[in-house]
Amino acid sequence: MTTYTIINPTTAKPVQEIHLADIFETDVIIEKAARAFASWRLVAPGDRAKLLRKFAAVVEAHTEELAQLEVLNSGHTIGNARWEAGNVVNVLNYYSASPERLFGRQIPVPNGIDITFKEPLGVIGIIVPWNFPMPIAGWGFGPALAAGNTVVLKPAEVTPLTAIRLAELALEAGIPEGVFNVIPGKGSVVGERFVTHPAVRKIVFTGSTTVGKHIMQGCANQVKRLTLELGGKSANIIFDDADIEKAAANAPGAVFDNAGQDCCARSRILVQKNVYEKFMEHFEVAVKAFRVEDPANESAEMGPLITAAHLARVQEYVPSGAPIAFQGTKPEGDGFWFAPTVLAHTNLEDRAYREEIFGPVVSVVPFTDEDDAIRIANDSEFGLSGSIWSRDIGRAVRVSRGVEAGNLSVNSNSSVRYWTPFGGYKQSGLGRELGPDALDAFTETKNVFFDTQN
Ligand code: TAP
């Protein structure tokens, strides 16, 4: 029997042993989900809606428990962890409206009537990374269940605790046995099996671009449906006409939130040359004031990195001699701590500038004008998120249209709103999650023609 020892990233101490499923156990659960599909898809739309609302209510009643579990397992700040549990509630409530609104179309055709139906796919395999265990799981299972699919979900090996609890809460809410299944295990075992098992009709994968490409190749064998949410190296673009103090005060949160372990982290800050010095002065004050501390403290703004191995990886991006402009603080002692670090690059071929570090490290680069800003922002294989700070509405519109990224904010660093579509350009992903159209990714369109001439 294979197990994994969960380590609390704040203390580096073991928390719990988790059994990792092998391929046979995975198959048994996939087959159970396939059987449950036959009845779940037939649950009347109003009843499925009620069950999802009940599931949301039960999760809401356990918000604090789930949040504390995420602090323990993932080192998330308690404020973030409460938001994350709340996001699952919101997503379930939002998509509970969908079963009763899963409309097809009646399309005018000669000699008959033509109707489209939105039909569920079957078993959906959701593969979740360790950086946002609850929200990323919910963005998949909320709309998937609403559309009438059943779900097998593999949490990241290192962060399974909240997903395991969510599956228990689903049963408590009355979601039938077999409809929502969480299978803790290795990506190379459970995740791979989702790709190869013919009963799994779609994969929703969030994680690294490297593993995403591998999964995409595997899905090709069965022309398996696939949504990919992958890496990022997003630009935070600050123009000279912006509120520089505000942009600088907000910039640490835009990249150091969740210790930079955020696919939407604005890990490249592009500042117009003539306000570069002013921005850096204010930014330094904000970075040094950013509270990196025990994530269980209500005042914490940043906690530790997820594992010792990840800490070592992040450290490699900041070798001695790295162009450090300034750094924030970190606690002493155990735990996987890395101080917020600001790099002022002159060489834009540096690994630290081009690659996704997934830690609290940001690069700051000057630019001359709008075209230069767009050119630098787009000079990346990624295209997930980003911000534009300017008081000039025309400029904000032009630059928003020019930047190749799926989710942009003007005079704000927010990325995720469950009401709006989320996903990446280029190697940041394929398809969109959330928003009003999410069920399109969990249904097939069936077209039926009725001949009225016979
Ligand atoms: P990965 O190493 O890619 O792992 C993600 C998930 O895939 C884990 O559950 C992992 O299992 C599993 N996996 C690994 N190898 C697999 C395989 N061969 N077949 C099937 N599944 C496999 O990523 P990570 O380090 O956990 O997460 C960080 C990455 O996720 C970053 O690049 C980040 O940008 C990206 N991310 C993107 C988004 C969006 S929305 N675009 C959101 C969050 C994170 P194990 O845990 O067992 O390895």
Side-chain angles (χ1 to χ4, degrees):
M1 189 173 89
T2 320
T3 60
Y4 179 83
T5 308
I6 306 256
I7 306 286
N8 180 343
T10 307
T11 60
K13 300 243 165 22
V15 172
Q16 194 177 327
E17 290 286 313
I18 292 289
H19 169 71
L20 300 178
D22 62 23
I23 200 155
F24 303 105
E25 291 165 307
T26 305
D27 280 3
V28 167
I29 299 175
I30 290 173
E31 279 142 30
K32 187 170 148 191
R35 284 194 300 278
F37 174 63
S39 47
W40 179 245
R41 68 176 307 182
L42 299 179
V43 171
D47 292 338
R48 204 156 60 225
K50 261 189 220 157
L51 282 168
L52 290 174
R53 284 195 286 272
K54 183 76 197 304
F55 188 9
V58 173
V59 174
E60 189 164 26
H62 291 80
T63 299
E64 191 59 25
E65 179 201 334
L66 288 162
Q68 295 292 351
L69 215 47
E70 208 63 275
V71 175
L72 182 75
N73 191 165
S74 309
H76 289 195
T77 63
I78 181 64
N80 278 8
R82 287 186 187 122
W83 180 91
E84 290 159 20
N87 183 257
V88 175
V89 176
N90 290 338
V91 167
L92 282 170
N93 276 325
Y94 184 74
Y95 290 108
S96 73
S98 303
E100 293 168 293
R101 294 167 179 78
L102 202 48
F103 303 121
R105 296 206 286 182
Q106 183 268 308
I107 300 172
V109 291
N111 303 323
I113 296 168
D114 196 283
I115 301 177
T116 64
F117 297 91
K118 296 264 186 196
E119 300 202 338
L121 300 170
V123 180
I124 308 291
I126 303 176
I127 302 174
V128 179
W130 47 259
N131 65 328
F132 287 114
M134 280 192 278
I136 291 173
W139 304 350
F141 70 68
L145 296 176
N149 302 284
T150 55
V151 166
V152 288
L153 184 146
K154 192 202 90 63
E157 212 177 324
V158 296
T159 58
L161 295 186
T162 48
I164 293 170
R165 189 69 187 116
L166 284 168
E168 292 166 358
L169 296 177
L171 286 177
E172 200 177 313
I175 302 284
E177 186 82 38
V179 168
F180 175 46
N181 310 275
V182 168
I183 316 179
K186 284 181 185 293
S188 56
V189 178
V190 179
E192 287 278 353
R193 191 61 185 138
F194 288 2
V195 175
T196 57
H197 199 301
V200 177
R201 294 296 171 82
K202 171 170 182 149
I203 300 285
V204 179
F205 172 80
T206 305
S208 60
T209 297
T210 309
V211 176
K213 286 177 184 174
H214 170 76
I215 287 177
M216 193 172 183
Q217 282 169 347
C219 284
N221 282 329
Q222 296 169 18
V223 195
K224 195 168 283 197
R225 276 69 180 135
L226 178 65
T227 299
L228 293 174
E229 295 287 4
L230 309 175
K233 192 77 183 178
S234 297
N236 188 359
I237 308 173
I238 295 152
F239 284 97
D240 59 3
D241 62 275
D243 181 339
I244 302 296
E245 282 89 343
K246 191 171 169 198
N250 282 281
V255 60
F256 303 140
D257 186 58
N258 206 31
Q261 303 166 125
D262 181 344
C263 53
C264 292
R266 274 70 167 164
S267 52
R268 296 184 297 151
I269 303 181
L270 317 187
V271 189
Q272 200 154 13
K273 259 193 184 120
N274 52 339
V275 291
Y276 185 86
E277 294 306 326
K278 180 177 176 189
F279 172 82
M280 286 299 257
E281 274 169 33
H282 290 283
F283 187 40
E284 182 167 3
V285 173
V287 169
K288 291 190 166 155
F290 204 67
R291 297 184 67 102
V292 182
E293 60 189 30
D294 183 341
N297 293 349
E298 296 286 338
S299 55
E301 292 178 290
M302 184 180 127
L305 291 169
I306 187 72
T307 57
H310 189 54
L311 173 61
R313 260 197 305 274
V314 170
Q315 182 67 62
E316 276 177 23
Y317 283 98
V318 191
S320 65
I324 296 176
F326 44 85
Q327 285 184 295
T329 60
K330 68 176 170 87
E332 293 306 318
D334 295 337
F336 312 128
W337 301 98
F338 196 89
T341 299
V342 178
L343 302 177
H345 288 278
T346 45
N347 176 7
L348 300 193
E349 295 308 317
D350 274 3
R351 269 184 76 212
Y353 176 76
R354 302 210 73 84
E355 295 175 15
E356 182 184 45
I357 299 175
F358 226 52
V361 181
V362 67
S363 300
V364 190
V365 174
F367 66 86
T368 50
D369 56 19
E370 265 178 54
D371 287 345
D372 198 32
I374 293 171
R375 182 187 60 75
I376 298 173
N378 288 344
D379 179 19
S380 168
E381 70 198 26
F382 299 114
L384 187 56
S385 197
S387 297
I388 295 123
W389 292 80
S390 170
R391 289 186 175 107
D392 177 338
I393 185 78
R395 167 179 275 172
V397 171
R398 285 190 299 274
V399 178
S400 304
R401 298 303 300 269
V403 172
E404 297 165 340
N407 314 275
L408 295 170
S409 285
V410 174
N411 296 325
S412 143
N413 295 315
S414 85
S415 300
V416 172
R417 289 159 299 273
Y418 60 87
W419 310 271
T420 59
F422 181 78
Y425 275 40
K426 302 193 276 188
Q427 294 191 35
S428 283
L430 186 71
R432 293 291 178 272
E433 296 188 287
L434 299 175
D437 303 322
L439 269 69
D440 289 349
F442 293 102
T443 51
E444 292 283 9
T445 298
K446 178 180 282 176
N447 190 70
V448 182
F449 170 71
F450 298 83
D451 190 330
T452 51
Q453 305 306 304
N454 293 311

